[in-house]
Amino acid sequence: MAKNREVVDKFGKRHTFSEGMEGVVATSSEICFINGAEGRLFYRGIPIEDLAENSTFEETSYFLLYGELPTQKELHDFDTRLKKYRAIPDPVLEILKQMPRKANTMQILRTVVSLMGLYEEKSDEHSVSETSREAEKLIAVFPTIVAAIQRLREGKEPISPDKSLGHAANLIYMVNGEKPDAYAARVLDVCLILHAEHGFNASTFTSRVVISTLTDVHSAITAAIGSLRGPLHGGANEGVMHLLNEIGSLEAVDEVIRLKLKTKAKIMGFGHRVYKVLDPRAKILSQYSERLAEITGKQKYYAMSKKIEEIMENEVGDRGIYPNVDFFSASVYHYLGFNLEIYTPIFAVSRISGWAAHVMEQLRENRLFRPSSVYLGDIDRTYPKISDR
Ligand code: SDX
């Protein structure tokens, strides 16, 4: 149920508005459909389960950007272009190396993407070919930036991309210097497919609002990264890992979660503006978390996650609060060996394709976003001289 608020303005006029714009239709789109009541998600009409089973991140990105699944040749050419665009421009890499090592990884990612805009040769017009080239370049370079941020954080040299590896496998390779086995690469590939797109979430809406001014693509994506960082949005996957670490053991789950619920604390990775049942992405990620726990022989994080899910279902399930995409992605990334500082950047590595698709769609039939608000402040105050204040 939308949280509608009624207010009376200074002129005595009554207004009703939906807090957080819940349920407000901002524009139309052909990219994503979410059925929140039944927990269904479709990218351009194809169920997320089919894409997770059969597609790759590269193919899904092409599909999101261009509206149709690629032919073999189109996919091959797209993949070749992505591999060509993977490297961070040298001057940007040099500046990245000077950034504070311990700064927040999303803030560094945001700054680097903003910087990259300075090295992009482009006209002021948003031609389709120019925008799609910029979109492909950003999708290609995000893993290289994120891996470099992580390596520098650890006091290590960044690793150059490896053209023999797919998008997901190359990210793992650039983070830890070892080529992953096929299963680990596939799990990350599925994670990237699952996080790629989700309609008018806060960061995507941000990118559309920014591009609607006809500013440059890098400005729109930079703003979107800033939006994704927040703990109510993509930042929640790091929050989940902090929660698991805070709880510490399977035995402690019950007490900690019940205490948090009693004190009205938010449990990270639960609840969603649109889903009132289990997020279909969480269902798939839960299965991967279970399998990785078996393979690694380390049950702890999966077992703790399942216990939290069980308690939450009993306590708040009737209020429509279930695991969202960020909940099981935390334990999956843990099993894949990623440090928690790059959990949210990995979300961005994936979501850049959704942001780019929305930027392209917005530009096709653009109208400036400019909503209004109800003014509840004072009217016609006198201006007192500074000496009289
Ligand atoms: C993502 O929009 C998207 O599509 C986003 C996303 C994507 O792919 O782009 O799916 C990715 O951002 C997932 C969400 C990640 N965030 C978290 O996991 C943070 C924890 N969850 C929440 O804070 C919350 O559920 C939101 C922000 C996700 C949704 O918030 P809403 O719709 O504004 O709901 P609300 O905060 O008004 O909560 C409604 C009620 C409240 O109780 P009452 O005040 O009515 O008594 O539900 C309770 C809340 O306290 N509640 C929770 C809860 N989430 C909601 N209580 C405990 N734990 C939670 N996680």
Side-chain angles (χ1 to χ4, degrees):
M1 279 281 282
K3 287 190 179 177
N4 284 330
R5 205 173 136 201
E6 270 202 26
V7 290
V8 178
D9 68 18
K10 297 282 164 182
F11 309 98
K13 198 173 164 201
R14 190 174 293 278
H15 303 262
T16 307
F17 63 91
S18 174
E19 282 190 332
M21 292 178 79
E22 179 167 1
V24 173
V25 176
T27 185
S28 64
S29 174
E30 295 180 0
I31 301 173
C32 181
F33 177 66
I34 306 166
N35 177 339
E38 292 176 14
R40 303 293 316 276
L41 167 61
F42 305 82
Y43 292 173
R44 296 196 180 276
I46 299 188
I48 191 65
E49 294 79 8
D50 287 355
L51 292 166
E53 180 80 28
N54 302 306
S55 189
T56 60
F57 176 71
E58 290 89 325
E59 183 184 62
T60 297
S61 297
Y62 182 100
F63 184 41
L64 290 170
L65 292 183
Y66 301 115
E68 289 298 337
L69 284 167
T71 61
Q72 225 152 43
K73 169 152 184 0
E74 284 166 341
L75 183 57
H76 175 268
D77 293 350
F78 181 64
D79 189 47
T80 307
R81 291 197 297 278
L82 289 187
K83 284 179 172 154
K84 187 174 101 188
Y85 297 145
R86 276 178 181 171
I88 305 172
D90 286 340
V92 177
L93 186 57
E94 285 315 307
I95 299 171
L96 169 56
K97 286 180 179 175
Q98 308 300 316
M99 290 181 192
R101 299 250 154 119
K102 297 293 169 202
N104 177 274
T105 47
M106 283 295 277
Q107 288 181 304
I108 302 180
L109 175 65
R110 186 198 63 211
T111 307
V112 172
V113 170
S114 176
L115 255 178
M116 287 196 53
L118 305 181
Y119 296 89
E120 197 52 51
E121 282 172 31
K122 57 185 176 229
S123 65
D124 285 340
E125 284 182 18
H126 286 289
S127 71
V128 174
S129 63
E130 191 172 284
T131 308
S132 56
R133 185 177 53 84
E134 282 181 75
E136 290 182 1
K137 286 175 99 169
L138 284 166
I139 292 170
V141 79
F142 263 47
T144 321
I145 302 170
V146 170
I149 292 171
Q150 179 60 31
R151 301 272 309 171
L152 291 166
R153 218 181 157 76
E154 293 168 0
K156 297 175 184 160
E157 267 302 298
I159 294 176
S160 300
D162 182 333
K163 280 196 176 148
S164 72
L165 298 174
H167 203 76
N170 181 51
L171 171 57
I172 299 175
Y173 165 67
M174 290 188 296
V175 169
N176 62 27
E178 282 170 30
K179 293 184 183 176
D181 63 51
Y183 187 70
R186 179 59 193 156
V187 175
L188 182 61
D189 199 20
V190 173
C191 291
L192 297 182
I193 294 169
L194 295 177
H195 287 79
E197 163 55 15
H198 213 240
F200 272 54
N201 59 84
S203 57
T204 301
F205 186 47
T206 300
S207 71
R208 288 191 76 132
V209 170
V210 176
I211 204 69
S212 82
T213 69
L214 297 182
T215 183
D216 59 289
V217 172
H218 285 75
S219 290
I221 300 302
T222 299
I225 296 169
S227 168
L228 186 70
R229 182 193 165 205
L232 295 185
H233 192 10
N237 60 11
E238 289 182 29
V240 173
M241 204 58 204
H242 284 300
L243 173 68
L244 292 170
N245 286 333
E246 178 196 332
I247 297 172
S249 71
L250 185 59
E251 295 67 40
V253 169
D254 205 84
E255 193 187 334
V256 176
I257 295 298
R258 284 182 205 285
L259 184 64
K260 283 191 184 289
L261 287 175
K262 213 166 144 192
T263 55
K264 296 219 168 285
K266 290 269 169 70
I267 309 296
M268 290 291 116
F270 281 83
H272 199 277
R273 181 60 68 78
V274 186
Y275 294 119
K276 297 307 163 201
V277 294
L278 182 64
D279 181 330
R281 303 166 296 177
K283 193 172 169 191
I284 298 169
L285 288 165
S286 165
Q287 290 159 1
Y288 278 104
S289 180
E290 181 179 16
R291 182 85 188 98
L292 287 165
E294 275 166 25
I295 292 171
T296 57
K298 295 177 184 163
Q299 290 290 332
K300 182 174 153 185
Y301 284 85
Y302 172 69
M304 285 167 71
S305 302
K306 285 305 278 185
K307 183 79 188 157
I308 298 172
E309 183 185 23
E310 185 193 311
I311 297 169
M312 290 294 281
E313 172 149 20
N314 289 334
E315 295 298 317
V316 292
D318 59 347
R319 293 170 57 201
I321 301 170
Y322 284 89
N324 59 52
V325 69
D326 288 319
F327 188 63
F328 285 102
S329 64
S331 50
V332 168
Y333 295 158
H334 166 77
Y335 287 125
L336 289 177
F338 291 117
N339 285 346
L340 79 89
E341 297 84 15
I342 58 163
Y343 286 13
T344 314
I346 293 171
F347 193 152
V349 162
S350 165
R351 186 54 61 85
I352 174 61
S353 60
W355 292 332
H358 279 272
V359 162
M360 286 163 68
E361 186 179 69
Q362 182 64 35
L363 286 171
R364 266 198 296 279
E365 277 182 61
N366 186 54
R367 185 145 195 255
L368 177 74
F369 280 105
R370 204 306 185 188
S372 52
S373 65
V374 183
Y375 180 69
L376 296 177
D378 293 330
I379 302 256
D380 263 349
R381 291 173 66 188
T382 47
Y383 175 81
K385 284 189 193 144
I386 195 160
S387 53
D388 296 342
R389 287 174 215 162

